[in-house]
Amino acid sequence: MSLPTNSGAYMVNAFRNMTQESHNFQNFFECWLVEQSQHLEELVSALTEYEQRRGRGRNSPQGMRGGDEERILRPVIERVIQHYEHYYKAKSRWAKIDVMSMFNPSWRSSLEDAFLWIGGWRPSMAFHLLYSKSGLQLEARLQELMRGISTGDLGDLSPAQLERVNELQQETIRMEKEITEKHAKLQETVADSTMVQLTHSATQLMREGGGALDEVRIDATLAPKEAGLGRILQRADNLRLKTLKDIMGVLSPKQGVHFLIAAAELHLRLHEWGKRQEARNQQRGEVGSSSQ
């Protein structure tokens, strides 16, 4: 996908005009992905610059190196977090207009859909990502760590950090469970007495040739269920953003950059592979149809 001339302005306009057309959030999401890809490159560049400066200043005081970490890495971290915040604000606004599309997003691939939890990524997955990246970096730099050389990346998490991450993980799992249970209870209402009576009445009318029920009555029955879905989606998205911020609060700037890089890589590549898979399947279907 090509980058718009002014992608920032494009995103703002897409956000403001979402009520106009049903596909506007998809446009917003695709542009958001382009910017996420840009942020990924910014994260990598900032990390490279920091490592180069750190390498040149190994004999400088620790405070100066810490200052470099804050000065070089912190601004890009803040931009990335603001980018996530912008996404959830746009999503919240659109969900008030069409909450059902958020549970069946056409802008995501089937591969991504298979791993969604209430319209997005499962918050506890962030901890699995952290542990996976930490393990890979620990393995890659094990010799340095054994010699007492601090790597400063996710393979170098302190006992205090690990303890706090574990606490956050348990808290997140608990909150996830609460939201999942509320979602399950709401799903059960699709078969409550009001719905059963309404569907029976509609079927009887159709069978007797009397047409369908008044749309107003149908909408009035479904409205509270859709409102409930909106509330649950909002809680799920709030937990997603809270989890991201909580994890970043435990990590040093350098570790935070490593985590955000891993998160962006996972999201972008999974989306890309899923879309590519769908395109291949569509091609096979077209070839099969033409050969018959």
Side-chain angles (χ1 to χ4, degrees):
M1 176 180 171
S2 60
L3 180 65
T5 305
N6 188 337
S7 59
Y10 179 89
M11 289 183 73
V12 171
N13 289 334
F15 180 57
R16 288 174 178 170
N17 300 325
M18 277 193 296
T19 59
Q20 294 180 1
E21 298 179 34
S22 61
H23 61 267
N24 268 7
F25 188 83
Q26 180 167 346
N27 293 345
F28 170 85
F29 179 72
E30 289 174 354
C31 189
W32 190 88
L33 281 182
V34 172
E35 293 219 338
Q36 185 181 40
S37 183
Q38 290 178 328
H39 284 311
L40 173 57
E41 296 310 310
E42 289 178 18
L43 287 163
V44 173
S45 295
L47 188 60
T48 300
E49 179 186 352
Y50 169 73
E51 292 291 3
Q52 288 173 346
R53 286 179 177 270
R54 186 168 180 265
R56 291 195 297 267
R58 288 192 183 278
N59 296 324
S60 65
Q62 180 66 35
M64 292 183 65
R65 295 203 297 273
D68 273 346
E69 192 170 5
E70 286 292 328
R71 183 177 60 81
I72 297 171
L73 302 182
R74 183 66 67 186
V76 69
I77 289 174
E78 291 176 354
R79 287 197 296 275
V80 171
I81 297 300
Q82 288 172 0
H83 192 235
Y84 280 107
E85 289 175 338
H86 184 56
Y87 170 77
Y88 286 114
K89 285 178 182 176
K91 186 178 178 184
S92 176
R93 178 168 172 173
W94 183 257
K96 291 180 174 64
I97 302 163
D98 183 12
V99 67
M100 304 309 297
S101 66
M102 296 300 163
F103 283 85
N104 185 29
S106 59
W107 46 90
R108 296 189 186 274
S109 66
S110 299
L111 176 63
E112 293 169 284
D113 284 347
F115 295 98
L116 289 185
W117 173 80
I118 310 183
W121 53 277
R122 182 177 285 275
S124 57
M125 186 189 72
F127 297 97
H128 293 286
L129 172 64
L130 176 61
Y131 291 136
S132 294
K133 191 66 179 180
S134 175
L136 290 169
Q137 291 187 330
L138 174 62
E139 184 179 353
R141 310 289 287 276
L142 186 59
Q143 293 301 317
E144 293 177 48
L145 290 169
M146 288 177 66
R147 294 199 302 271
I149 301 174
S150 175
T151 60
D153 57 18
L154 292 173
D156 197 14
L157 293 171
S158 69
Q161 284 178 309
L162 288 170
E163 181 179 357
R164 181 57 183 145
V165 167
N166 181 61
E167 291 172 355
L168 288 173
Q169 184 178 20
Q170 297 307 313
E171 178 187 353
T172 300
I173 290 173
R174 179 184 61 77
M175 296 175 72
E176 254 184 27
K177 185 178 179 182
E178 288 180 6
I179 296 171
T180 299
E181 289 174 351
K182 287 185 179 296
H183 189 208
K185 288 180 180 178
L186 181 62
Q187 288 175 319
E188 290 171 359
T189 67
V190 80
D192 63 18
S193 58
T194 305
M195 285 292 290
V196 172
Q197 182 181 26
L198 184 65
T199 54
H200 175 70
S201 298
T203 305
Q204 285 293 101
L205 280 173
M206 293 171 64
R207 185 175 294 125
E208 295 166 2
L213 280 179
D214 184 357
E215 291 294 330
V216 174
R217 183 181 172 189
I218 296 172
D219 290 345
T221 304
L222 294 177
K225 303 183 190 308
E226 292 187 17
L229 286 173
R231 289 190 294 271
I232 288 170
L233 178 66
Q234 187 64 59
R235 286 193 61 182
D237 283 343
N238 288 345
L239 182 57
R240 281 184 262 269
L241 188 57
K242 177 182 182 299
T243 301
L244 175 63
K245 290 182 175 181
D246 284 346
I247 288 177
M248 295 303 295
V250 174
L251 304 178
S252 70
K254 181 179 177 180
Q255 291 169 336
V257 167
H258 277 290
F259 178 78
L260 290 174
I261 288 173
E265 288 174 342
L266 181 63
H267 183 218
L268 290 167
R269 299 293 80 80
L270 194 64
H271 180 75
E272 175 188 315
W273 296 340
K275 289 296 185 181
R276 188 183 304 165
Q277 187 180 69
E278 287 183 348
R280 285 201 304 264
N281 291 341
Q282 185 177 356
Q283 268 189 334
R284 292 192 189 103
E286 290 172 354
V287 170
S289 299
S290 62
S291 64
Q292 291 178 357

